[in-house]
Amino acid sequence: MASAKNQNSPAAARRAKLDEARRKERARERRSRIITITAAVVVVAGLVAGGGYLMSAADDKDKAEEQARTSPVTGEKSWDDLTQDHVETPVDYPMNPPVGGNHNPVWMNCDADVYTEAIPKENAVHSLEHGAVWVTYNDKAKDADVKALSERVSKTPYSLMSPVADQKDPLMLSAWGKQLAVKSATDARVAQFFTKYVQGAQTPEPGAACSGGVAK
């Protein structure tokens, strides 16, 4: 009888409630751990998948740039064996704009410089010798194309842009020994020309300065 009374006593009831509360708390803790672990697994899986995507995207970009550098630019003109003497006098170049040859001892600033007026060709050729791409246009070029190319140049070290009124085509891109005429700034060859020839393999003096020269 004493045992039955003890089981039904208030103290026993409190212990039973306490045990039940502890059981429920342990169950909640187990559920919480399961949720936490599951969430962590999902996050890790997402990071792995995201990292894989980013690595894949980076690999694709590297492959595209490598293809642009190694593939010929369709329609470009090339000149070899260009002279590189420094001269103080005007030079009569066989192509317009010039892509190489004798040039002024001081380069034209080409650190993403956009000029709205004509610049001395002898100084610009020196910039090409340093690995710059020179974008030029005449009054037949569309304003939208000039604006788009200006924006590209302004974001690209070792490039410069200026008008050349007497050039044959509205839009032209020049590097040392290389030249390309395009009809639109959206032509895919524009991006390839920049990728291939900004500090490209054709550069006679790679790494030479593109600032500290002539500015207008």
Side-chain angles (χ1 to χ4, degrees):
M1 292 296 291
S3 176
K5 287 182 180 179
N6 290 338
Q7 290 177 359
N8 294 324
S9 69
R14 285 195 297 272
R15 281 197 299 272
K17 289 182 179 181
L18 181 60
D19 290 342
E20 178 65 14
R22 287 174 175 169
R23 186 188 66 78
K24 291 180 178 179
E25 180 63 25
R26 288 194 294 270
R28 281 195 296 270
E29 289 177 352
R30 284 196 297 273
R31 287 195 298 271
S32 179
R33 285 196 297 271
I34 292 171
I35 292 171
T36 300
I37 292 171
T38 302
V41 169
V42 170
V43 170
V44 170
L47 290 173
V48 170
Y53 171 79
L54 291 175
M55 291 178 64
S56 177
D59 288 343
D60 290 344
K61 182 179 179 182
D62 290 343
K63 290 177 181 177
E65 289 182 352
E66 180 62 21
Q67 184 176 5
R69 282 191 290 267
T70 56
S71 301
V73 179
T74 303
E76 74 174 13
K77 296 180 180 179
S78 297
W79 291 263
D80 298 319
D81 302 321
L82 297 167
T83 58
Q84 294 176 240
D85 295 331
H86 287 177
V87 297
E88 299 282 357
T89 56
V91 179
D92 184 17
Y93 293 105
M95 74 294 287
N96 186 39
V99 299
N102 294 345
H103 49 269
N104 191 275
V106 184
W107 56 91
M108 200 75 199
N109 282 347
C110 47
D111 191 16
D113 289 279
V114 177
Y115 302 99
T116 57
E117 297 180 358
I119 60 177
K121 295 177 181 179
E122 292 80 7
N123 299 98
V125 169
H126 197 154
S127 301
L128 303 186
E129 185 182 44
H130 289 189
V133 163
W134 182 18
V135 178
T136 55
Y137 60 96
N138 62 21
D139 58 4
K140 295 180 181 179
K142 296 179 181 178
D143 290 342
D145 290 325
V146 173
K147 183 176 183 293
L149 290 170
S150 297
E151 291 174 351
R152 177 182 286 274
V153 169
S154 66
K155 298 175 183 177
T156 308
Y158 284 94
S159 73
L160 69 164
M161 181 173 178
S162 71
V164 175
D166 58 346
Q167 69 180 31
K168 179 182 177 182
D169 297 283
L171 301 169
M172 300 182 74
L173 289 77
S174 302
W176 185 269
K178 306 292 180 180
Q179 191 165 81
L180 176 70
V182 295
K183 294 182 178 180
S184 169
T186 60
D187 191 315
R189 295 174 298 168
V190 172
Q192 183 187 6
F193 198 92
F194 271 78
T195 299
K196 189 177 181 72
Y197 295 128
V198 169
Q199 286 285 285
Q202 86 294 340
T203 304
E205 298 180 3
C210 240
S211 59
V214 176
K216 288 188 91 175

